[in-house]
Amino acid sequence: MSVNYGSKRVVTGAHYGARDWLAQRITAALMALFTIVLLGKVLFTSGPLGYDSWAAIFAAQWMKALTFAVFIALAYHAWVGVRDIWMDYVKPAGLRLVLHVFTLVWLLACLGWAVQVLWRL
């Protein structure tokens, strides 16, 4: 009887683990920072909160850039999470591919809509 010392295991897969874990933490931190900034601007805005107040909050170029970065971060954050769900729980490869494509198209459509709304402000 032979004894196997060491690992002869073949590691396969996409190896997304650590990189995507870190990406989700970074995107979550960016979204939390944006939420704090937005809350601060809303709380310290004088007068009633209407369309003009919201437009004034997003009028500054840095706020538009931060909002755009948050939209991108949110889309990537959602993609990583939903992709992991599909990879973990949907076993037929064809169905998983369809769900991945649907998710990407949906996220890109949402991102396009959000950018369009941001540019109108």
Side-chain angles (χ1 to χ4, degrees), residues 10 18-19 21 38-39 52 56 64 67 76 88 99 106 109 119-120:
V10 177
R19 185 184 71 203
W21 179 87
L38 187 61
L39 243 136
D52 292 334
K64 287 183 181 182
T67 305
Y76 187 70
D88 288 345
L99 289 171
W106 179 74
W119 281 344
R120 281 190 216 153

Side-chain angles (χ1 to χ4, degrees), residues 24-41:
Q24 278 205 313
R25 277 29 181 207
I26 291 170
T27 55
L30 179 64
M31 290 184 284
L33 173 70
F34 177 77
T35 302
I36 291 168
V37 168
L38 187 61
L39 243 136
K41 286 190 128 324

